[in-house]
Amino acid sequence: AQSVTQPDIHITVSEGASLELRCNYSYGATPYLFWYVQSPGQGLQLLLKYFSGDTLVQGIKGFEAEFKRSQSSFNLRKPSVHWSDAAEYFCAVGENDYKLSFGAGTTVTVRA
Amino acid sequence: GAGVSQSPSNKVTEKGKDVELRCDPISGHTALYWYRQSLGQGLEFLIYFQGNSAPDKSGLPSDRFSAERTGGSVSTLTIQRTQQEDSAVYLCATTRGVTSPLHFGNGTRLTVT
C-alpha cells in the first residue's frame, strides 16, 4: 500500500525568504507524485506533478519540486515566498492506475 | 458548468439522520473521487468511480457510507445514521485520468450535532 508523510504540520516563513516543504512516500514502484495547494476559502489546486523524466519539476506560482528516488522524497520549494503563498499544501502519490493518497498537509504562514 | 459542482455547500444535521451529498463532475471526466477532510487531518480517500467499472469502495469508513454514480455522471454520497465523527468537509474530485490533474469541487461542510 502506498502512503505519504508530510513531517511538518506548520511552517512559518518570512516574506521573501525561501520555503521548502517535505514529502516522503512509501510505494513499491515509481509513483505519480503531486503537490496541491488549498488557499483559504478556495478549493484544491494542482501546483505540479511528476510522472517520469527530469526529476526537477517546475510548477505554477514559482514552485518547483525534486523527486529523489533514493530518499523516497518529493520536496516542494520556492526561492522567495509571497504573502499570497499562505495556504495549506498537500503532497499526494498515485498508483499507475488511479488511487491518490494524500499527506496530512502542511500549513504555511507568511509573516511580513 | 466549468468546474466540479458540489451541493449543498453546507449541511447541518442531527445525529442519527441520513444525509445525501451531491457531485456534478466536469463533462468528459470519467474518473470521480470522494475524499473527506477532517479538521487537522489530511485528505482521506473514500471511494473512486471510473467509467462503467465497479467502484473502489475500499476507503469507506463504515457500512453507513455508500455512493452511487448514475450514468457515469452525477454522484451521490449517502451517509446513514450520521454520527458526530462524520463531521468533515466532503470533497469530490474528477479527472480524465491519473496523468491529468484532479479538479476538486469546493466541498460540502457537514456538521453533525
Side-chain angles (χ1 to χ4, degrees):
Chain A
Q2 61 204 22
S3 66
V4 182
T5 302
Q6 292 181 246
D8 304 304
I9 297 173
H10 191 186
I11 288 180
T12 299
V13 61
S14 297
E15 193 169 12
S18 64
L19 174 68
E20 181 168 14
L21 304 182
R22 295 183 291 166
C23 174
N24 294 95
Y25 67 89
S26 173
Y27 183 62
T30 300
Y32 295 92
L33 295 161
F34 308 79
W35 275 98
Y36 284 84
V37 60
Q38 187 173 31
S39 299
Q42 299 186 26
L44 281 152
Q45 181 183 23
L46 178 68
L47 280 177
L48 48 78
K49 60 188 178 184
Y50 171 80
F51 299 143
S52 64
D54 192 344
T55 56
L56 185 62
V57 181
Q58 301 298 320
I60 62 172
K61 304 183 180 186
F63 284 91
E64 66 178 26
E66 186 171 12
F67 170 57
K68 292 186 177 180
R69 183 190 305 274
S70 61
Q71 298 177 18
S72 297
S73 69
F74 189 57
N75 294 347
L76 181 72
R77 298 193 293 256
K78 185 168 183 176
S80 178
V81 169
H82 187 261
W83 64 266
S84 60
D85 294 323
E88 189 162 18
Y89 294 80
F90 292 92
C91 180
V93 57
E95 299 175 6
N96 60 3
D97 47 1
Y98 60 84
K99 190 186 298 183
L100 287 189
S101 295
F102 284 81
T106 299
T107 300
V108 173
T109 299
V110 180
R111 57 180 177 227
Chain B
V4 178
S5 177
Q6 290 188 246
S7 60
S9 56
N10 280 284
K11 176 71 176 179
V12 180
T13 190
E14 292 180 352
K15 178 181 174 181
K17 301 285 189 181
D18 297 352
V19 295
E20 280 192 356
L21 313 180
R22 177 186 170 102
C23 173
D24 284 273
I26 293 174
S27 177
H29 283 196
T30 57
L32 186 148
Y33 302 75
W34 282 98
Y35 285 88
R36 179 168 69 175
Q37 186 175 20
S38 303
L39 189 64
Q41 304 294 317
L43 285 162
E44 177 187 7
F45 168 80
L46 296 177
I47 189 169
Y48 164 79
F49 295 90
Q50 171 60 58
N52 295 321
S53 302
D56 179 347
K57 304 179 182 180
S58 61
L60 295 178
S62 78
D63 58 7
R64 296 186 295 104
F65 288 72
S66 62
E68 291 184 341
R69 189 177 184 192
T70 53
S73 181
V74 172
S75 179
T76 302
L77 177 69
T78 301
I79 308 172
Q80 296 177 310
R81 305 181 303 282
T82 52
Q83 304 294 313
Q84 288 186 331
E85 61 262 28
D86 299 335
S87 296
V89 175
Y90 289 82
L91 289 163
C92 176
T94 71
T95 180
R96 290 189 183 89
V98 72
T99 58
S100 299
L102 281 175
H103 294 262
F104 285 85
N106 287 328
T108 294
R109 183 175 297 277
L110 175 66
T111 303
V112 181
T113 60

